[in-house]
Amino acid sequence: MSKKQVRKKREQNLVDICIPVYGQFELLEKCLLSIPEAAGNISYQIYIFDNNSPIEEVGSFYTDLDKSIRVIKNKTNIGFPGSCNRMVAAGRSPLLFLLNSDVILHKDSIDNLVKVMDEPKVGVVGMKLIFPEETDLPHKMGQRPSGKLQHIGLTTNIRAEVQHAFIGWSPDHPRVNAQSEVFAVTGAAMMTRRDIWRRVGGFFEGYGMGTYEEVDFQMVVRELGYNILVESEASGVHYTGATAERYGLGYNLRNNQMLFMQRWGSKIMWWQYKQC
């Protein structure tokens, strides 16, 4: 096969799937195994950005990995925003799907996200995420109720605080299962367009290890005139906090919240969950 043919084949991919990684390879393996059924007939390229995972845990994982997956290894942990920026820069597909390694996708989820993106006015679409039925993660004050809803979009309350809508509800509740316009969606499983990413400039890396960078990004997307949607027909299980708690990684939530408010406080309105 000629170089020209190889180049043409690569350009046919519709979605770049970008997965930041730090350890937790047992979850990453489940995440990767879930992608083919989630994508269906959608063509994609997987990128993994390894943030200097503990060498003793890496073992032969990347050596044994499917050679079609592109792995970028970093010498330090630069966090979620920086990882995503570098993976997106390495790709070329018109759609970007940012995916946490602790999200296990359900069948046709990527396909259903792509269908939503067929509408030109949609700039970002997220998906329904569910807490796992079984996990060794602590259920702190009921924050991780087994099998209940983790994410169906973000809202803001009257104090302009960003919150998860309907967290802890049944994932089968009628109000949950309606495609809806939302204030923002989590970066744990978020699809957008490459041209929008370029116009925004990607994630603002001032948020360090991460939190609020995806909301910051979507504030700009909305200012550009696009809608932010969540699609309940796209779903998965999210082992939220698995990596941070296992390795004691620090996410400066309070400082990032203050930084976000400094950048956007004057433009945030009370956003109630509403159906399109």
Side-chain angles (χ1 to χ4, degrees), residues 40-57:
N41 293 323
I42 299 297
S43 59
Y44 60 86
Q45 172 66 55
I46 299 174
Y47 292 84
I48 292 175
F49 190 94
D50 189 288
N51 271 303
N52 195 32
S53 295
I55 189 65
E56 65 276 8
E57 294 186 29

Side-chain angles (χ1 to χ4, degrees), residues 21-26 28-29 48-65 71-74 246-247:
V21 172
Y22 183 85
Q24 289 283 43
F25 289 101
E26 66 281 4
L28 173 59
E29 183 174 18
I48 292 175
F49 190 94
D50 189 288
N51 271 303
N52 195 32
S53 295
I55 189 65
E56 65 276 8
E57 294 186 29
V58 176
S60 63
F61 186 86
Y62 292 129
T63 304
D64 299 337
L65 205 58
V71 179
I72 304 169
K73 296 181 181 179
N74 210 50
R246 176 170 177 174
Y247 301 102

Side-chain angles (χ1 to χ4, degrees), residues 213-228:
E213 69 284 335
E214 77 271 55
V215 186
D216 190 300
F217 175 84
Q218 290 167 83
M219 292 293 290
V220 184
V221 171
R222 185 173 291 105
E223 287 198 330
L224 291 174
Y226 293 95
N227 298 326
I228 314 295

Side-chain angles (χ1 to χ4, degrees), residues 76-95:
T76 59
N77 189 344
I78 61 173
F80 186 81
S83 299
C84 290
N85 285 343
R86 283 151 184 79
M87 282 185 284
V88 171
R92 63 179 66 194
S93 302
L95 294 179

Side-chain angles (χ1 to χ4, degrees), residues 97-113:
F97 183 41
L98 309 182
L99 180 65
N100 275 17
S101 61
D102 58 5
V103 172
I104 317 302
L105 300 170
H106 291 157
K107 189 175 186 297
D108 295 329
S109 291
I110 295 174
D111 188 14
N112 288 330
L113 292 178

Side-chain angles (χ1 to χ4, degrees), residues 157-174:
N157 63 19
I158 200 169
R159 294 182 296 277
E161 296 167 334
V162 180
Q163 299 178 326
H164 283 277
F166 305 132
I167 189 167
W169 284 39
S170 167
D172 298 322
H173 193 284

